[in-house]
Amino acid sequence: MPAPQRVTRAALTTAARAIAEDEGIDAVTISAVAAVVGVRPPSLYKHVGHRHDLLRLIADDAARELDEDVAALAGSTTDPAAMLTAIARAFRAFSARSPRASSLLFAGAALGTEGAEPQSEGMVALTRTLLSAVQATTPSDPLPAARTLTAWAHGFCTMEQAGAFRLGGDVDEAFEFGLATLVGALTAHR
Amino acid sequence: MPAPQRVTRAALTTAARAIAEDEGIDAVTISAVAAVVGVRPPSLYKHVGHRHDLLRLIADDAARELDEDVAALAGSTTDPAAMLTAIARAFRAFSARSPRASSLLFAGAALGTEGAEPQSEGMVALTRTLLSAVQATTPSDPLPAARTLTAWAHGFCTMEQAGAFRLGGDVDEAFEFGLATLVGALTAHR
DNA sequence: ACCTGAACACCGTTCAAGT
DNA sequence: ACCTGAACACCGTTCAAGT
């Protein structure tokens, strides 16, 4: 009689993400995740190839969740500037809620992704959602515009969570300043 | 007769940074660095407290080097927009030259920095240089402006090096678009 | 004063063996 | 079909001992 499956991908993801947020990315080990899902370390290799796959599960889960947040804003406004502003704030809210997971969102190299791996489903969905939102704003060439906004939001949130803004000053104010500057410029012409 | 010092901070830094760029951050271990500097692993604890200190040495070294690059631009132009543009391009050039080290620049958490550690000398210098450069542009409140530009540049370069821009499109063009957008907006008024 | 060997607790990973 | 124990190579870290 074959043994019933005791480890699901969802359980792995939940366990890995919880450990990441509670104890840091370095604590996301094969051993720790195995212990949480109630199995011995070697068993995990039936489901993942390497330890980095655990980080990829976290990143994909985070991308899906953030995509839901962003997609949920779709009908909230028809004003392009208001939409971009809402998306960026959703980014920051997610980053504050799940700092470790969000730090993995665009961290291909840290995930052992040496450039050859396909994008995760979650990232594909998130990218598509972001691009179509930006498209409504600057129909000419949405890709550079989307990359600009994403790069800024990702950089700001990453730096904020890493404690890089220590010179005093209001970090909320800096975020809103940057956001207004960028959204203003992106929606100004055409 | 006391043994002569065989491990210097400079040697540690050089070894750690070389390993980081050649084999990745995860390969920067106490053992690997010890082997490169020609000593047994336990000896390193006379010079660093934990493995994370090796990453901090790399980050500090990177900050110093980037600060030099940025400071060297000081007399190159008197046009504020041209100055900010040159600084951002120096950022990206450094990121391309030293992707692993630059990924550690603002990565407090990944360095075991849980918020209590003082800024490294290199980061203090770099921050001061950047802030004074931006001050010449927007004298009113340079801090949010500097944070906006830094967050975007850091986010863009980090994502680029992580392979996050895979949807095609010209990445150079996206960088220049974002840079022109941001610098234009930051230098537009007042 | 600095370096070493030995030791400990831990990890990732493989694989033959169990059920 | 899935899980386990045993094993291997490795790592961070401590500490008493060498010179």
Side-chain angles (χ1 to χ4, degrees):
Chain A
M1 186 193 311
Q5 185 166 352
R6 268 157 60 190
V7 179
T8 70
R9 190 189 147 109
L12 242 45
T13 304
T14 304
R17 195 165 160 189
I19 294 169
E21 295 300 345
D22 292 348
E23 306 172 50
I25 302 291
D26 285 351
V28 181
T29 65
I30 294 282
S31 300
V33 172
V36 169
V37 299
V39 96
R40 299 287 174 177
S43 298
L44 256 59
Y45 290 91
K46 281 285 161 184
H47 303 90
V48 300
H50 318 276
R51 187 191 89 102
H52 282 311
D53 290 342
L54 296 175
L55 305 187
R56 247 176 274 176
L57 286 177
I58 297 173
D60 183 54
D61 194 54
R64 287 172 187 277
E65 186 177 323
L66 180 53
D67 181 47
E68 278 182 29
D69 292 354
V70 172
L73 299 169
S76 65
T77 178
T78 58
D79 176 34
M83 177 60 93
L84 296 188
T85 298
I87 288 174
R89 286 181 185 146
F91 243 86
R92 186 164 179 241
F94 179 75
S95 172
R97 199 184 343 135
S98 301
R100 318 279 192 168
S102 76
S103 79
L104 294 176
L105 268 180
F106 303 105
L111 281 59
T113 302
E114 291 307 335
E117 287 77 5
Q119 294 250 42
S120 78
E121 279 185 54
M123 275 308 298
V124 170
L126 177 59
T127 302
R128 180 169 24 79
T129 302
L130 287 174
L131 204 54
S132 76
V134 172
Q135 203 150 22
T137 303
T138 55
S140 58
D141 192 356
L143 195 53
R147 284 172 168 166
T148 299
L149 190 67
T150 305
W152 168 77
H154 172 63
F156 191 99
C157 294
T158 295
M159 289 177 67
E160 178 180 18
Q161 293 303 322
F165 297 142
R166 307 191 194 177
L167 258 56
D170 191 325
V171 177
D172 288 343
E173 183 188 303
F175 182 83
E176 292 299 329
F177 171 85
L179 181 53
T181 301
L182 220 33
V183 170
L186 289 176
T187 59
H189 318 294
R190 47 194 104 176
Chain B
M1 190 192 309
Q5 185 166 350
R6 266 156 60 189
V7 180
T8 70
R9 189 188 148 110
L12 242 45
T13 303
T14 303
R17 197 165 158 189
I19 294 169
E21 295 300 346
D22 292 349
E23 307 171 49
I25 302 289
D26 285 352
V28 181
T29 65
I30 292 282
S31 299
V33 172
V36 170
V37 300
V39 97
R40 299 287 173 177
S43 298
L44 256 59
Y45 290 92
K46 281 285 161 185
H47 304 90
V48 300
H50 319 276
R51 187 190 88 101
H52 281 311
D53 289 343
L54 296 174
L55 305 186
R56 245 176 276 175
L57 284 177
I58 296 172
D60 183 54
D61 194 52
R64 287 170 186 277
E65 186 176 325
L66 180 53
D67 181 47
E68 277 181 30
D69 292 354
V70 173
L73 300 170
S76 65
T77 179
T78 58
D79 176 33
M83 175 62 92
L84 295 188
T85 299
I87 289 174
R89 286 181 185 147
F91 242 87
R92 187 165 178 241
F94 179 75
S95 173
R97 200 184 341 138
S98 302
R100 318 280 192 165
S102 77
S103 79
L104 293 176
L105 268 181
F106 303 104
L111 282 57
T113 301
E114 291 306 338
E117 286 78 6
Q119 295 250 42
S120 79
E121 279 184 56
M123 275 306 299
V124 169
L126 177 59
T127 303
R128 180 169 25 79
T129 301
L130 286 174
L131 204 54
S132 76
V134 173
Q135 203 149 22
T137 303
T138 55
S140 60
D141 194 356
L143 195 52
R147 283 172 170 166
T148 298
L149 189 69
T150 305
W152 168 77
H154 172 63
F156 191 98
C157 295
T158 295
M159 289 177 68
E160 180 180 17
Q161 292 305 323
F165 297 140
R166 306 192 195 179
L167 255 55
D170 191 326
V171 178
D172 288 342
E173 183 189 304
F175 183 83
E176 293 298 329
F177 171 85
L179 181 53
T181 301
L182 219 35
V183 169
L186 289 177
T187 59
H189 318 297
R190 48 195 101 171

